[in-house]
Amino acid sequence: MQVRLFEAREVAGGASGRNGGFALRGGAMPYEHAWAGLWRLTELALDRIEQLAGDAFRRVGSLRLAGDAGERDLLARELELLREDGFDVEWVDPLPAPLGGLFAGAVLYPRDGALQPARWVQRLAARAAAAGAEIVEHTPVRIDELDASTVVVATDGLTAALLPELADHIETRRGQMLATEPLERRLFGRPHYARHGYDYWQQLPDGRLVVGGKRDASFETEATAREETTPLIQERLEALTVELVGELPRITHRWAGVWGETRDRLPLVGRVPGREHVWVAGGYSGHGNVLGFACGDLLAHAILGDSPPELDLFDPARLLTG
Ligand SMILES: Cc1cc2nc3c(=O)[nH]c(=O)nc-3n(C[C@H](O)[C@H](O)[C@H](O)COP(=O)(O)OP(=O)(O)OC[C@H]3O[C@@H](n4cnc5c(N)ncnc54)[C@H](O)[C@@H]3O)c2cc1C
């Protein structure tokens, strides 16, 4: 089978090169026993990423913080359920400064990690090219102009432009970020996220702080495919930076990217109903670094004729038929 990848911009030009670099297990939904299989799938994917990514991945764990008592209760319940199912998770008490005064509790997921996302995706693309895939950059395509027996649409937040029938099922969301100059002190040793994921930050190995989120300050304007920053969200990100650092360091970069969100927070991965030769993989709901990698692998197996049972969970037919 000959594989050709068309990319409208360049490899890592989309969300894969613009994201927060959190390499988290699981999906975007709160944990329940029913999701144990999904969580295990992503833990295996994390192990595989660690093998393939070289210095683009650091296994430093991640810290999830509760913004208020309600979220703390939710985290405590998740911790119980995860432990019952055999996953590594630790309650962090007391919280170190400056987190103690800002948050109501936290859990540590020791098996998570931090990615340099653009470098990771470029490495993955280099491996694909070495294995014989042809990568054609700066070439936007439409499905009907492709002469191929199998087409995979892997455009996450931009899926609706190619597959309009999925417009109501994979909705576009914008995320904004900023990066500071390198800080003199190491404040954060691992990715942190808080308030149900609406705030997230990590300090890079060179000392820079990368801060993202605050989408809940303006849901309406952030439901867009325009990869542009806005003053409102950037001001909120600056205010969060001040809370975390104690002052506003020089901001060196600001950017935005888009992802695809589904109502049940499960991605759509599989054959598109009504289009025999077209497959889709997208809708990771802001959680695609590990889940997207795992889903791509499952999809490749399915196209080659296997039937990985894990794919049943993500079958687009659950939304488009019945
Ligand atoms: C600001 C931000 C922060 C995030 N933080 C995290 C995080 O910390 N952890 C995490 O797990 N996830 C995070 N995500 C989500 C994650 O980035 C995505 O789920 C993931 O990158 C999706 O990968 P993908 O390859 O499916 O899609 P993308 O990386 O979006 O790639 C799709 C590509 O398709 C191309 N394309 C679109 N239309 C066409 C066309 N017609 N023809 C050819 N090419 C086309 C685009 O140019 C794009 O490069 C974040 C997303 C954003 C925007």
Side-chain angles (χ1 to χ4, degrees), residues 59-72:
R59 180 80 80 155
V60 286
S62 76
L63 196 69
R64 178 161 171 201
L65 295 141
D68 55 29
E71 193 176 4
R72 187 186 56 217

Side-chain angles (χ1 to χ4, degrees), residues 6-9 13-16 18-22 139-141 154-156 158 162 175-177 200 257-259 284 286-289:
F6 290 100
E7 165 53 58
R9 291 173 277 183
S16 294
R18 297 162 178 261
N19 68 63
F22 285 53
T139 309
V141 290
T155 49
D156 196 25
L158 303 171
L162 287 167
Q176 300 192 31
M177 304 201 65
Y200 47 95
V258 298
W259 70 79
Y284 307 109
H287 214 92
N289 281 340

Side-chain angles (χ1 to χ4, degrees), residues 135-213:
I135 297 181
V136 187
E137 294 185 303
H138 306 291
T139 309
V141 290
R142 289 195 328 254
I143 294 174
D144 58 11
E145 64 190 9
L146 295 173
D147 178 20
S149 57
T150 303
V151 173
V152 176
V153 177
T155 49
D156 196 25
L158 303 171
T159 302
L162 287 167
L163 293 170
E165 66 267 46
L166 296 185
D168 287 343
H169 304 294
I170 302 185
E171 295 182 355
T172 308
R173 299 285 181 263
R174 177 169 67 194
Q176 300 192 31
M177 304 201 65
L178 59 75
T180 72
E181 63 186 339
L183 307 181
E184 279 168 18
R185 287 176 302 146
R186 175 138 305 273
L187 294 172
F188 306 105
R190 55 176 58 95
H192 287 49
Y193 58 122
R195 292 199 313 113
H196 305 276
Y198 285 122
D199 296 337
Y200 47 95
W201 64 94
Q202 66 158 313
Q203 194 171 7
L204 304 184
D206 68 0
R208 288 175 193 279
L209 193 64
V210 177
V211 184

Side-chain angles (χ1 to χ4, degrees), residues 172-176 214-234 256-258:
T172 308
R173 299 285 181 263
R174 177 169 67 194
Q176 300 192 31
K214 296 293 181 198
R215 195 168 57 87
D216 58 324
S218 179
F219 285 121
E220 315 76 54
T221 58
E222 303 313 294
T224 176
R226 293 169 78 97
E227 290 167 330
E228 292 171 359
T229 59
T230 61
L232 171 69
I233 302 288
Q234 290 293 314
V258 298

